[in-house]
Amino acid sequence: MATSQSTTSRATPAQTEARTAILTTLRTLGTTHHDTHTQQLAHDLHANSAAIAKQEAALASHTAALAKESAACEREVARMTEGLKGFGDLQHWVEVLEREFCVLEETLRLAEGGGGEGEGESASGGSRWREEER
């Protein structure tokens, strides 16, 4: 520092003025660059904030539409499940009727005086009285 003060004290007024002008220019350039960069960042933040707000609104709208579609799908699944339950009940009812018809068929075969077991049945598993009706 002592050298710089001795240099400054020996400098002419023109040199001192030039030195002051250069230092002021350097400070201004540095500050201007940082200010411009900071202003650009702030501008970008505001622009991105607006874009994000639009995207949030679109996302909320799409989410509501998806929720509505999901509810419709759930109702359809519930309706189909009930239909399948009904089909299962129908299948069970048919099986019960089939067993009852087999018992009735066997009772009729015995009542007609049919012989031993299997004697009244044809090779296809049906009874003789069915074939006689045809």
Side-chain angles (χ1 to χ4, degrees):
M1 274 254 235
T3 311
S4 120
Q5 283 179 348
S6 62
T7 308
T8 307
S9 60
R10 284 187 269 158
T12 64
Q15 288 176 335
T16 305
E17 187 178 320
R19 180 182 169 95
T20 304
I22 288 174
L23 290 175
T24 303
T25 302
L26 290 175
R27 277 190 218 115
T28 304
L29 285 176
T31 304
T32 303
H33 172 71
H34 289 300
D35 286 347
T36 303
H37 182 67
T38 304
Q39 287 175 355
Q40 183 61 43
L41 288 175
H43 178 269
D44 290 345
L45 286 172
H46 288 291
N48 290 341
S49 176
I52 288 172
K54 285 180 185 178
Q55 290 174 356
E56 283 178 342
L59 180 61
S61 171
H62 293 308
T63 302
L66 182 61
K68 187 183 281 188
E69 185 68 25
S70 177
C73 287
E74 286 178 13
R75 285 191 301 273
E76 185 66 21
V77 166
R79 191 178 70 77
M80 290 296 179
T81 301
E82 287 301 315
L84 286 175
K85 284 180 185 177
F87 181 73
D89 291 344
L90 178 65
Q91 183 178 1
H92 176 71
W93 180 72
V94 168
E95 289 171 359
V96 168
L97 283 178
E98 183 179 17
R99 279 188 299 242
E100 289 178 2
F101 283 135
C102 286
V103 169
L104 182 60
E105 182 180 3
E106 182 64 18
T107 304
L108 286 174
R109 185 185 67 75
L110 292 173
E112 289 177 348
E117 199 170 311
E119 189 178 292
E121 293 185 12
S122 68
S124 66
S127 67
R128 207 178 316 149
W129 71 272
R130 283 189 188 158
E131 293 173 3
E132 291 172 1
E133 284 183 350
R134 291 182 190 166

